[in-house]
Amino acid sequence: MTQDVEMKEVPVPSNSVSSASPSILHNLKEIASLLETAAYTREVRRIVRAVRLTMVLRRKLKVSVISAFLNFALTPGSEVHSRLLSFLPKDDEQDMDVDTATSATQVPAKHALPELEMYSYLLVLIFLIDQKKYIEAKACASASIARIKNLNRRTIDVLASRLYFYYSLSYELTGDLAEIRGNLLNLHRIATLRHDELGQETLLNLLLRNYLHYNLYDQAEKLRSKAPRFEAHSNQQFCRYLFYLGKIRTIQLEYTDAKESLLQAARKAPIAALGFRIQCNKWAIIVRLLLGEIPERTVFMQKGMEKALRPYFELTNAVRIGDLELFKNIAEKFSNVFNADRTHNLIVRLRHNVIRTGLRNISISYSRISLVDVAKKLRLDSPNPVADAESIVAKAIRDGAIDATLDHANGWMVSKETGDIYSTNEPQAAFDTRIAFCLNLHNDAVRALRFPPNSHKEKESAEKRRERQQQEQELAKHIAEEDDDEF
């Protein structure tokens, strides 16, 4: 890195480009060697490492670097080589710099491995999407998917899952997501027949996203319920699945299951995935409000989320107070935000919760109040507010939301005295929910444990066992002596 500082004294500035590019090209060549080793040893973890290293370099990629790498990894003049070069924009000046700098280190390419070929597709596709060349990205993605259909290797699965994702993303960015739905279903069937579980996870999430993008919730639920399920191989894909499942459950009025899925998705998501965690929290806040819960203030004060969750914080405050007019003003004020988040229809459902919260506050504050005053305090704007207030009160009493009686003759609502909550089963239910959450968290942690390969097959010899026991005895004796010294 110190060479870049020394290069400032050289009067020719173009050498700085040629000195920086070979370092990126060298990293790509190391990734290619890693892929070759993985292909010959059939170690999928090396493929995962190669993809992870590529994501670190993606912001530094240039046309000249990718062209030089394609010349190194693929056979020059081959069909794949020519096709991938045709997708890249022309950049002759930087091509000359890199070619002159790396001509001494060029190695004649052998017959390209399928892993290297699919990695080259992935590299070009990532670059085109980052450069916002969406038309070229669609063509590149379609070509890569057509090639994947003819490959059935376990070492291809990781690369294929990434290509599936960018294939869907390139069509979504151009607004043509509906065109590839049939192809995604076909790819999911192929992945199922090939026992490609990572591909099945990825394609299932892409299909759910495709259906939800067009508000086809019933079709998404039918696909989800019939698709094969197994232990998750990718934490990112599992988080996405939980998020889509939470959205489907919310639309289907299954708020308890939706809340659990959304909160679990937000908890399992990586810290770096800020946008995803914001979306999870937005939907989780709405679901908790629909369940009659008020989210804690700390939910809205998470690092990096304060501004994005501000409209939902004000909405929560209106629901907590039970002010119907304030709720309407906030819904109108942030209508663009709610429409962009696709939560506007859910917020319309919250009107009933706002009225019920306000009615609960009234029943606690007044032992007896007329229905006319109830309609005024709830700010009902219907043609016959007293009749509406009476029906709302009657329904709330029937559902157990308030403990009161309705005097129809005199037009009163008479509240009963507040009893001792600890004499009911509510504390027991709360403890049961918390214990179940802790047990599920423990089970997930146990499943996520990793052990060295073949550790259960390595048996300890008698000599090693004696040495280990002797070391444990000496350590215990040393600890006992330290404890005696302290007293």
Side-chain angles (χ1 to χ4, degrees):
M1 296 299 290
T2 56
Q3 292 180 357
D4 294 336
V5 180
E6 294 173 358
M7 290 297 287
K8 293 182 180 179
E9 300 177 1
V10 181
V12 183
S14 62
N15 291 341
S16 61
V17 177
S18 62
S19 64
S21 298
S23 64
I24 303 173
L25 182 60
H26 177 69
N27 292 332
L28 290 176
K29 289 181 178 179
E30 289 183 347
I31 293 174
S33 64
L34 188 63
L35 290 169
E36 289 181 354
T37 306
Y40 290 125
T41 60
R42 297 181 181 181
E43 292 183 284
V44 179
R45 62 183 181 85
R46 295 182 185 270
I47 305 287
V48 176
R49 184 184 176 193
V51 173
R52 190 180 298 118
L53 292 173
T54 306
M55 295 302 133
V56 177
L57 298 174
R58 65 182 297 178
R59 299 300 179 188
K60 303 177 184 178
L61 295 176
K62 298 179 181 178
V63 177
S64 55
V65 178
I66 298 178
S67 301
F69 175 75
L70 293 179
N71 294 332
F72 167 79
L74 304 175
T75 304
S78 63
E79 182 183 358
V80 178
H81 181 267
S82 303
R83 184 187 299 117
L84 289 176
L85 285 180
S86 66
F87 295 136
L88 295 174
K90 304 299 179 183
D91 197 354
D92 298 334
E93 183 178 354
Q94 292 187 0
D95 286 343
M96 293 178 61
D97 291 339
V98 175
D99 290 342
T100 56
T102 60
S103 59
T105 60
Q106 285 283 342
V107 179
K110 301 173 289 184
H111 180 69
L113 291 169
E115 287 78 8
L116 277 177
E117 181 182 343
M118 301 320 301
Y119 177 77
S120 300
Y121 272 111
L122 178 63
L123 193 67
V124 173
L125 182 56
I126 290 174
F127 175 76
L128 292 174
I129 291 177
D130 289 343
Q131 297 297 318
K132 298 183 179 180
K133 305 285 185 181
Y134 300 138
I135 305 299
E136 294 83 354
K138 284 173 60 176
C140 180
S142 300
S144 66
I145 295 301
R147 180 72 177 105
I148 283 177
K149 291 181 179 180
N150 300 323
L151 298 174
N152 183 14
R153 296 160 66 106
R154 289 283 76 87
T155 49
I156 294 288
D157 292 348
V158 177
L159 297 172
S161 67
R162 302 304 300 171
L163 286 170
Y164 295 149
F165 172 77
Y166 289 113
Y167 172 60
S168 177
L169 179 62
S170 61
Y171 276 82
E172 182 178 354
L173 292 172
T174 55
D176 302 325
L177 199 56
E179 295 180 8
I180 62 171
R181 189 180 303 152
N183 203 8
L184 289 176
L185 288 168
N186 185 30
L187 289 170
H188 186 271
R189 181 178 61 85
I190 294 173
T192 304
L193 294 175
R194 292 176 177 176
H195 302 285
D196 178 10
E197 295 184 350
L198 181 59
Q200 292 179 60
E201 280 184 346
T202 306
L203 289 166
L204 177 60
N205 286 332
L206 294 176
L207 283 166
L208 292 178
R209 182 179 182 86
N210 197 310
Y211 284 125
L212 297 184
H213 182 77
Y214 295 99
N215 295 325
L216 302 175
Y217 287 92
D218 291 338
Q219 296 184 31
E221 172 58 21
K222 289 179 181 178
L223 172 67
R224 187 208 63 80
S225 61
K226 295 181 180 179
R229 291 299 302 165
F230 36 78
E231 186 177 356
H233 290 261
S234 171
N235 181 60
Q236 289 85 350
Q237 296 299 331
F238 186 52
C239 290
R240 291 191 181 103
Y241 174 77
L242 289 173
F243 176 61
Y244 298 143
L245 178 61
K247 294 178 71 172
I248 294 172
R249 291 284 181 262
T250 303
I251 298 300
Q252 293 179 337
L253 306 179
E254 299 176 10
Y255 298 134
T256 303
D257 295 339
K259 172 191 168 185
E260 183 179 353
S261 298
L262 292 169
L263 292 179
Q264 191 176 3
R267 178 170 53 85
K268 286 180 174 291
I271 298 177
L274 183 61
F276 178 79
R277 292 193 294 120
I278 288 175
Q279 287 297 320
C280 290
N281 279 282
K282 286 179 177 179
W283 279 75
I285 289 168
I286 297 297
V287 170
R288 293 184 66 180
L289 291 175
L290 289 170
L291 282 171
E293 303 176 5
I294 302 297
E296 300 81 6
R297 195 181 187 89
T298 54
V299 174
F300 306 95
M301 301 303 168
Q302 299 180 63
K303 185 177 180 181
M305 301 186 187
E306 298 91 342
K307 184 177 180 180
L309 296 181
R310 185 67 188 179
Y312 294 87
F313 174 73
E314 297 188 15
L315 186 71
T316 302
N317 188 42
V319 175
R320 181 181 61 84
I321 297 172
D323 192 337
L324 190 59
E325 185 173 351
L326 179 61
F327 173 79
K328 291 179 180 178
N329 293 335
I330 292 173
E332 293 176 0
K333 179 181 178 182
F334 298 105
S335 59
N336 294 333
V337 177
F338 298 143
N339 286 325
D341 295 336
R342 298 194 171 192
T343 56
H344 186 267
N345 291 335
L346 301 177
I347 290 171
V348 173
R349 300 182 188 178
L350 280 175
R351 181 179 182 275
H352 180 68
N353 293 60
V354 176
I355 295 174
R356 178 167 292 190
T357 303
L359 185 60
R360 190 182 299 115
N361 294 335
I362 292 172
S363 67
I364 294 173
S365 302
Y366 297 91
S367 60
R368 188 177 67 176
I369 185 173
S370 65
L371 295 176
V372 177
D373 293 334
V374 170
K376 290 180 180 178
K377 289 184 177 296
L378 293 177
R379 300 182 182 181
L380 300 178
D381 52 358
S382 58
N384 192 355
V386 178
D388 290 344
E390 185 176 1
S391 63
I392 291 171
V393 171
K395 190 174 185 302
I397 294 173
R398 186 196 65 184
D399 296 341
I402 59 174
D403 191 7
T405 57
L406 190 60
D407 189 346
H408 178 73
N410 297 319
W412 290 339
M413 182 186 75
V414 181
S415 302
K416 297 180 180 179
E417 294 184 2
T418 305
D420 184 12
I421 193 172
Y422 291 99
S423 62
T424 64
N425 294 330
E426 188 170 345
Q428 181 182 356
F431 277 118
D432 181 67
T433 303
R434 296 178 184 180
I435 292 171
F437 173 79
C438 293
L439 289 175
N440 290 333
L441 184 63
H442 174 266
N443 293 335
D444 292 342
V446 171
R447 292 193 199 100
L449 290 175
R450 295 184 179 181
F451 300 94
N454 299 327
S455 60
H456 61 286
K457 298 181 181 179
E458 299 175 359
K459 295 184 178 180
E460 191 176 25
S461 62
E463 184 179 354
K464 289 184 178 180
R465 189 185 305 110
R466 282 196 299 267
E467 291 179 0
R468 179 176 57 81
Q469 291 175 353
Q470 185 179 359
Q471 290 177 359
E472 291 177 355
Q473 290 175 1
E474 291 177 357
L475 181 60
K477 183 178 179 182
H478 181 67
I479 294 174
E481 290 177 353
E482 288 183 352
D483 294 338
D484 293 340
D485 293 339
E486 291 179 0
F487 287 103

